Each structure stands twice: as structure tokens, then as C-alpha cells.
Amino acid sequence: MPTYAYACKECGHKFDAVQSFADATLTECPECGGALRKQYGSIGVTFNGSGFYRTDSRAGTKSASDAAAKPAATPAKSDSKPSTATPSTTTSTPASAAK
């Protein structure tokens, strides 16, 4: 069950109350009987593991705004000659012929 923090508007008394989600909000201070207000603070949630950050799942992609901000790169010229591949001529003998 969640814990809620309350503060009295009249006397300033602060306390925590463990309540169910279905329970009604407290309205009366247990010290002086004055009006209460619920206090909100930072929550203690941490996300561990991969997939929670932009860089985790998008390592190689850029957003459209990043691409528009940078000028387009010109393709690099290559002076190397295309290689001519020679097919390999490997012959194999059947396993029965090797005996």
C-alpha cells in the first residue's frame, strides 16, 4: 500500500499515512483538528537495464533534425581498380573413391 505525506495548514504538523488507493484522503489534523493538505515529493523509481535510453535501441540511426542540421556528405572518390575475382577450381573426390 502506498504511503502519503500530509501537512497541517494550521499548525504545520507533518506526518505520513499508509493508505489504500480506495481510501479517502485525510482532511483533519490529528494534533489540532485543522485542515490537511497532501504533500507531493519526488518518486523513487529507477529504470535499470537496456532499452530505457534513446541510445540503447537506436545506436546507428539519426533523427531527421540531426540530418537537416548537417550538410550532406559527398561520396569519396576511389582511385583503386575494381578487383577481378578468379573462380576457385577445387575438385573433390567422393568418400567412396578415397578408400
Side-chain angles (χ1 to χ4, degrees), residues 7 11 14-15 19 24 30 48 55-56 71-72 74 91-93 97 99:
C11 67
K14 296 179 180 181
F15 65 97
Q19 295 178 294
N48 296 325
T55 57
D56 284 345
T74 57
T91 60
S92 62
T93 58
K99 290 183 185 179

Side-chain angles (χ1 to χ4, degrees), residues 4-83:
Y4 297 101
Y6 289 95
C8 179
K9 293 180 181 179
E10 307 288 326
C11 67
H13 174 69
K14 296 179 180 181
F15 65 97
D16 294 337
V18 178
Q19 295 178 294
S20 172
F21 290 112
D23 290 345
T25 302
L26 299 178
T27 57
E28 187 176 309
C29 177
E31 296 287 318
C32 69
L36 290 176
R37 66 181 175 90
K38 195 181 279 189
Q39 293 190 323
Y40 298 98
S42 62
I43 56 173
V45 176
T46 58
F47 296 102
N48 296 325
S50 62
F52 293 106
Y53 300 98
R54 171 181 259 182
T55 57
D56 284 345
S57 62
R58 301 178 189 178
T61 62
K62 301 257 184 190
S63 67
S65 62
D66 289 342
K70 295 180 182 178
T74 57
K77 293 184 179 180
S78 174
D79 291 335
S80 64
K81 297 179 182 179
S83 64

